[in-house]
Amino acid sequence: MNKKIIRIAVIVLLFFAGLIAMTQESPFSFDRQAGELSVRQQRARWFRSNKGGMAIEEMSSMLAAMYGDYALAVDFIQRNELPDFLLPYYDNEYIIETRMLFEKGELIRTQWIFRETNDKTRLAAVFLELSENENPENDKKNQRNGFIEIYNESSLLMSEYRFFNNGEITRINNIYNNSVLISAAVQEWDNNEEEYKDSYTDYLRYNRSLFLRSVERVFHTERHISLADNALLFYFPRHIADALLPGNLIGEKTNVYPEFFGDALISKDDRLVFSTDARSRILSQTLYDEEGNIIWEIKNTWSNDRIVSTMKTEGGNEYLAEFEYNADRERILERNYKNGALERVVHTEGTRDIEELYFNNVAVLRAVWENGRKISETRINNR
């Protein structure tokens, strides 16, 4: 009788051991809504995660991890498991780590990391999964959303490739002096000629304490851009903070300029010079032609890490925008002036913008916008 009980116990233990092995190593992922198992994932360690993809807590199985809002699978793969677009950067000496982030059971982001045997990272790549609206023809070759970073043996970021939903690709090549970034050359992929073409180069200058004080952008091609569309915003290449003193960079480097600042025609060899303060906040940007003449200049006034006013001077005219923010640091008010005269005021309430246009400092028209769509327009009678 005892032997029979022991045999049954052993069978039960083997059964549950098999179930545990299946949840940890079998080729599937979990659809939390449908309660179904599908898709390939082997040898992975599973973690409870967050939106940023952090490995917060290791879980006993994929099933356990997938019951949270975010789950992270960390795995090591072979060369033949890499996507084709990463193969040109692979070396047989590299170890390949993958990190797959899931939200409510759906894969939303994949990261690949190439490391040397001494654990130095030589490549980091992150790509988001495109929705059907973003990629209706499922053309993953020409439509990707993510980046690839290439590092040298000293862990300095040498090249960065950025991929966009519309098929555009840019490449940034960095040059250093004693581990400090001094220039970043931006190239754009030309689909017709199937090669990268020079777009512009940023030259970075520092003071003796290694604070970034200015950036000079030299354009290599003619272009027509809109300041309001953020086409001329200066960005720091990824991980530039590694080359600067820690704590001297603010998180937000983007300046959103109002539409009435207009468009800009950039000619070949024009230079756009950004000046910054000790926190690398952009204080001004000035566009020069190839002979050194000023075409226009924009000056920003900051309060902590928010721009409270910005002025553009061009052709004898001054365009001023003033901004106010709430306790959550969200912009709630914008005023626009031309040569000292108030022309426009926008109040923001959640997703709604109330826009008032002025003539001779008197409001004449009010429009209401919801999520960027005009829902009403009313003339204001001041009599």
Side-chain angles (χ1 to χ4, degrees):
M1 183 66 179
N2 289 336
K3 292 182 179 179
K4 184 175 182 181
I5 292 174
I6 292 173
R7 283 199 301 270
I8 294 173
V10 170
I11 292 172
V12 171
L13 287 173
L14 289 174
F15 175 75
F16 280 105
L19 284 180
I20 293 172
M22 287 177 62
T23 59
Q24 292 181 331
E25 297 186 356
S26 62
F28 56 70
S29 63
F30 182 62
D31 185 335
R32 188 169 65 172
Q33 298 295 325
E36 296 176 352
L37 304 177
S38 61
V39 188
R40 176 184 182 279
Q41 183 54 241
Q42 293 182 349
R43 303 180 306 279
R45 296 172 61 195
W46 288 88
F47 297 84
R48 181 171 62 86
S49 187
N50 58 16
K51 191 173 183 179
M54 294 180 61
I56 296 175
E57 178 186 6
E58 187 165 4
M59 307 302 288
S60 59
S61 68
M62 177 176 16
L63 293 174
M66 284 294 187
Y67 275 107
D69 286 338
Y70 294 95
L72 178 70
V74 180
D75 198 2
F76 292 90
I77 63 173
Q78 303 299 318
R79 179 185 183 280
N80 59 3
E81 299 176 86
L82 283 172
D84 291 342
F85 59 85
L86 289 180
L87 289 175
Y89 312 105
Y90 179 74
D91 185 286
N92 289 331
E93 301 298 320
Y94 293 161
I95 298 170
I96 309 170
E97 178 183 332
T98 63
R99 292 173 173 249
M100 303 175 70
L101 180 64
F102 296 81
E103 181 180 11
K104 298 186 184 334
E106 295 291 334
L107 178 63
I108 61 172
R109 191 183 76 193
T110 302
Q111 179 180 13
W112 292 267
I113 304 172
F114 294 176
R115 290 192 176 94
E116 295 179 332
T117 53
N118 59 9
D119 207 35
K120 283 188 177 180
T121 297
R122 299 301 300 270
L123 176 144
V126 174
F127 285 89
L128 303 179
E129 292 295 310
L130 299 178
S131 66
E132 292 184 1
N133 292 333
E134 295 171 320
N135 192 11
E137 298 179 2
N138 195 29
D139 184 4
K140 292 190 176 182
K141 179 180 179 181
N142 296 317
Q143 288 183 302
R144 304 188 187 100
N145 187 353
F147 63 86
I148 299 173
E149 298 174 339
I150 310 295
Y151 298 87
N152 67 5
E153 62 279 359
S154 300
S155 299
L156 295 175
L157 176 62
M158 302 306 297
S159 298
E160 178 179 353
Y161 297 80
R162 297 180 179 180
F163 299 80
F164 301 91
N165 293 349
N166 60 5
E168 292 181 2
I169 306 173
T170 62
R171 181 172 67 186
I172 306 170
N173 296 318
N174 297 326
I175 295 178
Y176 298 82
N177 182 14
N178 294 326
S179 299
V180 176
L181 181 65
I182 59 173
S183 72
V186 178
Q187 300 175 314
E188 298 175 348
W189 178 254
D190 187 321
N191 284 317
N192 294 326
E193 299 188 22
E194 295 189 343
E195 63 179 7
Y196 285 97
K197 297 290 187 66
D198 292 336
S199 180
Y200 59 86
T201 301
D202 287 334
Y203 298 93
L204 292 75
R205 294 176 172 82
Y206 308 81
N207 64 13
R208 293 182 179 179
S209 300
L210 289 184
F211 288 108
L212 180 67
R213 298 315 305 263
S214 68
V215 178
E216 179 177 312
R217 174 173 296 178
V218 178
F219 292 90
H220 306 303
T221 60
E222 183 177 288
R223 65 187 64 203
H224 187 270
I225 54 88
S226 169
L227 288 172
D229 290 337
N230 300 340
L232 275 182
L233 298 185
F234 172 72
Y235 59 85
F236 288 86
R238 219 174 284 270
H239 298 308
I240 184 179
D242 295 341
L244 301 176
L245 295 180
N248 294 330
L249 295 175
I250 63 172
E252 185 178 359
K253 293 298 187 297
T254 57
N255 304 333
V256 180
Y257 294 126
E259 293 183 0
F260 83 122
F261 273 15
D263 298 340
L265 177 63
I266 306 297
S267 300
K268 184 178 181 296
D269 296 327
D270 280 358
R271 297 181 297 116
L272 184 61
V273 178
F274 303 83
S275 67
T276 63
D277 63 10
R279 296 180 61 196
S280 296
R281 299 178 300 189
I282 298 174
L283 300 180
S284 68
Q285 55 190 84
T286 307
L287 182 66
Y288 298 87
D289 63 20
E290 61 179 337
E291 297 177 353
N293 301 310
I294 295 178
I295 301 174
W296 50 254
E297 182 179 33
I298 296 175
K299 294 184 177 181
N300 299 321
T301 301
W302 293 76
S303 176
N304 296 320
D305 60 351
R306 289 290 181 271
I307 294 177
V308 294
S309 71
T310 181
M311 176 178 286
K312 180 184 180 186
T313 304
E314 181 178 17
N317 293 314
E318 290 184 344
Y319 305 88
L320 173 67
E322 298 177 336
F323 309 107
E324 294 182 11
Y325 304 85
N326 61 16
D328 295 324
R329 298 163 48 180
E330 299 170 330
R331 185 181 296 177
I332 57 174
L333 181 66
E334 176 183 337
R335 300 186 189 92
N336 299 156
Y337 301 84
K338 181 178 180 181
N339 296 326
L342 181 64
E343 290 194 336
R344 177 175 174 264
V345 176
V346 179
H347 298 266
T348 300
E349 302 172 358
T351 60
R352 175 168 292 194
D353 292 327
I354 302 172
E355 178 187 40
E356 293 180 343
L357 301 183
Y358 286 73
F359 181 72
N360 290 332
N361 289 318
V362 176
V364 295
L365 186 69
R366 179 180 293 113
V368 178
W369 302 75
E370 186 74 38
N371 290 319
R373 184 175 64 88
K374 185 186 290 187
I375 60 176
S376 69
E377 183 176 281
T378 308
R379 293 190 175 275
I380 301 175
N381 189 348
N382 295 289
R383 294 182 180 181

